[in-house]
Coordinates of all heavy atoms in Angstrom, one line a residue:
L25 N 0.8 -1.2 0.0 CA 0.0 0.0 0.0 C 0.9 1.3 0.0 O 0.4 2.3 -0.5 CB -0.9 0.0 1.2 CG -2.4 -0.4 0.9 CD1 -3.1 0.7 0.1 CD2 -2.4 -1.7 0.1
T26 N 2.1 1.2 0.5 CA 3.0 2.3 0.4 C 3.3 2.6 -1.1 O 3.3 3.7 -1.5 CB 4.3 2.0 1.2 OG1 4.0 1.8 2.5 CG2 5.2 3.2 1.1
W27 N 3.5 1.5 -1.8 CA 3.7 1.7 -3.3 C 2.5 2.3 -3.9 O 2.7 3.2 -4.8 CB 4.1 0.3 -3.9 CG 5.5 -0.1 -3.7 CD1 5.9 -1.3 -3.2 CD2 6.7 0.6 -4.1 NE1 7.3 -1.4 -3.2 CE2 7.7 -0.3 -3.8 CE3 6.9 1.8 -4.7 CZ2 9.1 0.1 -4.0 CZ3 8.2 2.2 -4.9 CH2 9.3 1.4 -4.6
E28 N 1.3 1.9 -3.6 CA 0.2 2.4 -4.3 C 0.1 3.9 -4.0 O -0.3 4.7 -4.9 CB -1.1 1.7 -3.8 CG -2.3 2.2 -4.6 CD -3.6 1.5 -4.2 OE1 -3.6 0.6 -3.4 OE2 -4.7 1.8 -4.8
L29 N 0.3 4.4 -2.8 CA 0.3 5.8 -2.5 C 1.4 6.5 -3.3 O 1.1 7.6 -3.9 CB 0.5 6.0 -1.0 CG 0.5 7.5 -0.5 CD1 -0.8 8.1 -0.7 CD2 1.0 7.6 0.9
L30 N 2.6 5.9 -3.4 CA 3.6 6.6 -4.2 C 3.3 6.6 -5.7 O 3.6 7.6 -6.4 CB 4.9 5.8 -4.0 CG 5.6 5.9 -2.6 CD1 6.7 4.9 -2.4 CD2 6.1 7.3 -2.4
W31 N 2.6 5.6 -6.2 CA 2.2 5.6 -7.6 C 1.2 6.7 -7.8 O 1.2 7.4 -8.9 CB 1.6 4.3 -8.0 CG 2.6 3.2 -7.9 CD1 4.0 3.3 -7.9 CD2 2.4 1.8 -7.8 NE1 4.6 2.1 -7.8 CE2 3.6 1.1 -7.7 CE3 1.2 1.0 -7.7 CZ2 3.8 -0.3 -7.6 CZ3 1.4 -0.4 -7.6 CH2 2.6 -1.0 -7.6
M32 N 0.3 7.0 -6.9 CA -0.7 8.1 -7.0 C 0.1 9.4 -7.1 O -0.3 10.3 -7.8 CB -1.7 8.1 -5.9 CG -2.6 6.9 -5.9 SD -4.0 7.0 -4.7 CE -5.0 8.2 -5.5
H33 N 1.2 9.5 -6.3 CA 2.0 10.7 -6.4 C 2.6 10.9 -7.7 O 2.6 12.0 -8.3 CB 3.1 10.6 -5.3 CG 4.1 11.8 -5.3 ND1 3.8 13.0 -4.8 CD2 5.3 11.8 -5.9 CE1 4.9 13.8 -5.0 NE2 5.8 13.1 -5.6
Y34 N 3.2 9.8 -8.3 CA 3.8 9.9 -9.6 C 2.8 10.2 -10.7 O 3.1 11.0 -11.6 CB 4.5 8.6 -9.9 CG 5.8 8.3 -9.2 CD1 6.1 7.1 -8.6 CD2 6.8 9.3 -9.2 CE1 7.3 6.9 -7.9 CE2 8.0 9.1 -8.6 CZ 8.2 7.9 -7.9 OH 9.4 7.7 -7.3
T35 N 1.6 9.6 -10.6 CA 0.6 9.9 -11.5 C 0.1 11.4 -11.4 O -0.1 12.0 -12.5 CB -0.6 9.0 -11.3 OG1 -0.2 7.6 -11.3 CG2 -1.7 9.2 -12.4
A36 N 0.0 11.9 -10.2 CA -0.3 13.3 -10.1 C 0.7 14.2 -10.7 O 0.4 15.3 -11.3 CB -0.5 13.6 -8.6
L37 N 2.0 13.9 -10.5 CA 3.0 14.7 -11.2 C 3.0 14.6 -12.7 O 3.3 15.6 -13.4 CB 4.4 14.2 -10.7 CG 4.8 14.5 -9.2 CD1 6.2 13.9 -8.9 CD2 4.8 16.0 -8.9
S38 N 2.6 13.4 -13.2 CA 2.5 13.2 -14.6 C 1.3 13.8 -15.3 O 1.3 14.4 -16.4 CB 2.6 11.7 -14.9 OG 2.5 11.5 -16.3
L39 N 0.1 13.7 -14.6 CA -1.1 14.1 -15.2 C -1.8 15.3 -14.5 O -2.8 15.8 -14.9 CB -2.1 13.0 -15.2 CG -1.7 11.7 -16.0 CD1 -2.7 10.6 -15.8 CD2 -1.6 12.1 -17.5
G40 N -1.2 15.7 -13.3 CA -1.8 16.7 -12.5 C -2.7 16.1 -11.5 O -3.2 15.0 -11.6
V41 N -3.0 16.9 -10.4 CA -3.9 16.4 -9.4 C -5.3 16.5 -9.9 O -5.9 17.6 -10.0 CB -3.7 17.2 -8.1 CG1 -4.7 16.7 -7.0 CG2 -2.3 17.2 -7.6
S42 N -5.9 15.4 -10.2 CA -7.2 15.4 -10.9 C -7.9 14.0 -10.6 O -7.3 13.0 -10.2 CB -7.1 15.6 -12.4 OG -6.4 14.6 -13.0
A43 N -9.2 14.0 -10.9 CA -10.0 12.8 -10.8 C -9.5 11.8 -11.8 O -9.4 10.5 -11.6 CB -11.4 13.0 -11.0
Q44 N -9.1 12.3 -13.0 CA -8.6 11.4 -14.1 C -7.3 10.7 -13.6 O -7.1 9.5 -13.9 CB -8.3 12.2 -15.3 CG -9.6 12.7 -16.0 CD -10.0 14.0 -15.5 OE1 -9.5 14.5 -14.5 NE2 -11.0 14.6 -16.1
G45 N -6.4 11.4 -13.0 CA -5.1 10.8 -12.5 C -5.4 9.8 -11.5 O -4.8 8.7 -11.5
A46 N -6.3 10.1 -10.5 CA -6.6 9.1 -9.5 C -7.3 7.8 -10.1 O -7.0 6.7 -9.7 CB -7.5 9.7 -8.4
A47 N -8.1 8.1 -11.1 CA -8.8 7.0 -11.7 C -7.8 6.1 -12.5 O -7.9 4.8 -12.4 CB -9.9 7.5 -12.7
L48 N -6.9 6.7 -13.2 CA -5.9 5.9 -13.9 C -5.0 5.1 -12.9 O -4.7 3.9 -13.2 CB -5.0 6.8 -14.7 CG -5.5 7.2 -16.1 CD1 -4.5 8.2 -16.7 CD2 -5.6 6.0 -17.0
T49 N -4.7 5.6 -11.8 CA -3.9 4.9 -10.8 C -4.7 3.7 -10.3 O -4.1 2.6 -10.3 CB -3.6 5.8 -9.6 OG1 -2.9 6.9 -10.0 CG2 -2.7 5.0 -8.6
L50 N -6.0 3.9 -10.0 CA -6.8 2.8 -9.5 C -7.0 1.7 -10.6 O -7.0 0.5 -10.3 CB -8.1 3.3 -9.0 CG -8.0 4.2 -7.7 CD1 -9.4 4.8 -7.4 CD2 -7.5 3.4 -6.5
V51 N -7.2 2.2 -11.8 CA -7.4 1.2 -12.9 C -6.2 0.4 -13.2 O -6.2 -0.8 -13.3 CB -7.9 2.0 -14.2 CG1 -7.8 1.0 -15.4 CG2 -9.3 2.5 -14.0
G52 N -5.0 1.1 -13.2 CA -3.8 0.4 -13.5 C -3.5 -0.6 -12.4 O -3.1 -1.8 -12.6
F53 N -3.7 -0.2 -11.1 CA -3.5 -1.1 -10.0 C -4.5 -2.3 -10.0 O -4.0 -3.4 -9.9 CB -3.7 -0.3 -8.7 CG -3.4 -1.1 -7.4 CD1 -2.1 -1.3 -7.1 CD2 -4.4 -1.5 -6.6 CE1 -1.8 -2.0 -5.9 CE2 -4.1 -2.2 -5.5 CZ -2.8 -2.5 -5.1
S54 N -5.7 -2.0 -10.3 CA -6.7 -3.1 -10.3 C -6.5 -4.1 -11.4 O -6.6 -5.3 -11.3 CB -8.1 -2.5 -10.4 OG -8.4 -1.7 -9.3
V55 N -6.3 -3.5 -12.6 CA -6.0 -4.4 -13.8 C -4.8 -5.3 -13.6 O -4.8 -6.5 -13.9 CB -5.9 -3.6 -15.1 CG1 -5.4 -4.4 -16.2 CG2 -7.2 -2.9 -15.4
G56 N -3.7 -4.6 -13.1 CA -2.5 -5.4 -12.8 C -2.7 -6.5 -11.8 O -2.3 -7.6 -12.0
M57 N -3.4 -6.1 -10.7 CA -3.7 -7.1 -9.6 C -4.5 -8.3 -10.2 O -4.2 -9.5 -9.9 CB -4.4 -6.4 -8.5 CG -3.6 -5.5 -7.6 SD -2.6 -6.3 -6.4 CE -3.8 -6.9 -5.3
G58 N -5.5 -8.0 -10.9 CA -6.4 -9.0 -11.5 C -5.6 -9.9 -12.5 O -5.8 -11.2 -12.4
A59 N -4.9 -9.3 -13.4 CA -4.1 -10.1 -14.4 C -3.1 -11.0 -13.7 O -2.9 -12.1 -14.0 CB -3.5 -9.2 -15.4
G60 N -2.4 -10.4 -12.7 CA -1.3 -11.2 -12.0 C -1.9 -12.3 -11.2 O -1.4 -13.4 -11.2
S61 N -3.0 -12.1 -10.6 CA -3.7 -13.1 -9.8 C -4.2 -14.3 -10.7 O -4.0 -15.4 -10.4 CB -4.9 -12.6 -9.0 OG -5.5 -13.6 -8.3
F62 N -4.8 -13.9 -11.8 CA -5.3 -14.9 -12.8 C -4.1 -15.7 -13.4 O -4.2 -17.0 -13.4 CB -6.1 -14.2 -13.9 CG -6.6 -15.2 -14.9 CD1 -7.7 -16.0 -14.7 CD2 -5.9 -15.2 -16.2 CE1 -8.1 -16.8 -15.7 CE2 -6.3 -16.1 -17.2 CZ -7.4 -16.9 -16.9
A63 N -3.1 -15.0 -13.8 CA -2.0 -15.7 -14.5 C -1.3 -16.7 -13.5 O -0.9 -17.8 -13.8 CB -1.0 -14.7 -15.0
A64 N -1.0 -16.2 -12.3 CA -0.3 -17.0 -11.3 C -1.2 -18.2 -10.8 O -0.7 -19.3 -10.6 CB 0.0 -16.1 -10.0
G65 N -2.5 -18.0 -10.7 CA -3.4 -19.1 -10.4 C -3.4 -20.2 -11.4 O -3.3 -21.4 -11.0
R66 N -3.4 -19.8 -12.7 CA -3.4 -20.8 -13.7 C -2.0 -21.5 -13.7 O -1.9 -22.7 -13.9 CB -3.6 -20.1 -15.1 CG -5.0 -19.6 -15.3 CD -6.0 -20.7 -15.4 NE -5.8 -21.5 -16.5 CZ -6.3 -21.3 -17.7 NH1 -7.1 -20.3 -17.9 NH2 -6.0 -22.1 -18.7
W67 N -1.0 -20.8 -13.5 CA 0.4 -21.3 -13.5 C 0.6 -22.3 -12.4 O 1.1 -23.4 -12.5 CB 1.4 -20.2 -13.4 CG 2.8 -20.7 -13.5 CD1 3.5 -21.2 -14.6 CD2 3.8 -20.7 -12.4 NE1 4.8 -21.5 -14.2 CE2 5.0 -21.2 -12.9 CE3 3.7 -20.4 -11.0 CZ2 6.1 -21.4 -12.1 CZ3 4.8 -20.5 -10.3 CH2 6.0 -21.0 -10.8
L68 N 0.0 -22.0 -11.2 CA 0.2 -22.9 -10.0 C -0.7 -24.1 -10.2 O -0.3 -25.2 -9.6 CB -0.3 -22.1 -8.8 CG 0.7 -21.0 -8.3 CD1 0.1 -20.3 -7.1 CD2 2.0 -21.6 -7.8
Q69 N -1.7 -24.1 -11.0 CA -2.5 -25.3 -11.2 C -1.7 -26.3 -12.1 O -1.9 -27.5 -11.9 CB -3.8 -24.9 -12.0 CG -4.8 -24.2 -11.1 CD -6.0 -23.8 -11.9 OE1 -6.1 -24.0 -13.1 NE2 -7.0 -23.3 -11.2
R70 N -0.8 -25.8 -12.9 CA -0.1 -26.7 -13.8 C 1.3 -27.2 -13.2 O 1.8 -28.2 -13.6 CB 0.2 -26.0 -15.1 CG -1.1 -25.7 -15.9 CD -0.7 -25.3 -17.3 NE 0.1 -24.1 -17.4 CZ -0.3 -22.9 -17.5 NH1 -1.6 -22.7 -17.5 NH2 0.5 -21.9 -17.5
R71 N 1.8 -26.4 -12.2 CA 3.1 -26.7 -11.6 C 3.0 -26.8 -10.1 O 2.1 -26.4 -9.5 CB 4.1 -25.6 -12.0 CG 4.3 -25.5 -13.5 CD 5.2 -24.3 -13.8 NE 5.4 -24.2 -15.3 CZ 6.4 -24.8 -16.0 NH1 7.2 -25.6 -15.3 NH2 6.5 -24.6 -17.3
K72 N 4.0 -27.4 -9.5 CA 4.1 -27.5 -8.1 C 5.5 -26.9 -7.7 O 6.4 -27.6 -7.3 CB 4.1 -29.0 -7.6 CG 2.8 -29.7 -8.0 CD 1.6 -29.0 -7.3 CE 0.3 -29.7 -7.7 NZ -0.9 -29.0 -7.1

């Protein structure tokens, strides 16, 4: 969660303090979390 806060800071510097910047941070975080969880779950099913 420290990283997520820092990423919001970087996004604010890049896009300005705005709802769009906060939304992009949350979308990037959520999409990455979901994709990583799905990929790792499938991988763990095939390997030990």
Side-chain angles (χ1 to χ4, degrees):
L25 258 290
T26 300
W27 279 125
E28 186 176 1
L29 180 66
L30 290 167
W31 296 342
M32 292 189 73
H33 173 81
Y34 283 130
T35 306
L37 290 178
S38 180
L39 300 173
V41 179
S42 62
Q44 291 85 352
L48 276 177
T49 303
L50 294 174
V51 169
F53 185 75
S54 301
V55 169
M57 288 280 290
S61 179
F62 176 78
R66 294 292 298 270
W67 183 72
L68 289 173
Q69 289 177 353
R70 297 192 300 268
R71 299 176 181 270
K72 300 296 180 184

